[in-house]
Amino acid sequence: MRALNQVSFNSSRDQATIGGGTLISEVIEAAYGNNAQLTTGNCNCVGVLGADLGGGYGNLKGLNGFGVDAILSLYYVSPDGKLTTVTPNDKELWWALRGAGPNFGIITSAVVKSNPVPHANNTTWLGQLI
């Protein structure tokens, strides 16, 4: 999974695709470089999708909500090896993956909401707050 550590943004920077092996620190750095902010968990050394699928309680929750709420779609490998794009239209599987994802298959990437911000106003950070 660690090799799946890509982050890319659409042209309007309001959506990002995050690989399943991307660390929170890598997502923050990519977002900063693209004049955007993404909702992530708090610990920079863990994978962002694992943290987000478990809730995504992070530093920007007061502005943008929890990480799990920013997920727009998931690229999912089922136990039988089938690759599927899962969206809110797939009600049961969507609900299951956003909370207990590791129990149902492998998430290889996700499309999430991104918040474009002017570079001068992009005050995200890496590291501990204390």
Side-chain angles (χ1 to χ4, degrees):
M1 288 298 289
R2 184 66 185 113
L4 299 174
N5 66 338
Q6 300 82 18
V7 180
S8 61
F9 291 82
N10 66 357
S11 60
S12 60
R13 299 182 339 266
D14 63 353
Q15 292 182 9
T17 302
I18 301 172
T22 309
L23 299 177
I24 288 174
S25 60
E26 294 169 330
V27 168
I28 292 171
E29 289 174 11
Y32 185 77
N34 283 278
N35 298 327
Q37 292 180 342
L38 298 174
T39 304
T40 66
N42 281 327
C43 182
N44 294 320
C45 62
V46 300
V48 71
L49 293 185
D52 281 356
L53 288 171
Y57 181 89
N59 299 326
L60 296 175
K61 70 183 175 313
L63 293 172
N64 304 321
F66 291 96
V68 69
D69 298 323
I71 298 171
L72 300 172
S73 65
L74 298 164
Y75 296 98
Y76 160 76
V77 180
S78 65
D80 64 359
K82 182 179 175 189
L83 179 62
T84 306
T85 300
V86 180
T87 68
N89 293 331
D90 307 295
K91 293 183 189 313
E92 295 294 322
L93 187 55
W94 179 252
W95 182 258
L97 291 174
R98 294 172 54 242
N103 297 314
F104 293 96
I106 298 169
I107 306 299
T108 60
S109 66
V111 177
V112 300
K113 293 177 195 173
S114 173
N115 301 290
V117 294
H119 188 71
N121 296 343
N122 198 346
T123 57
T124 58
W125 57 84
L126 293 173
Q128 295 181 342
L129 297 176
I130 300 173

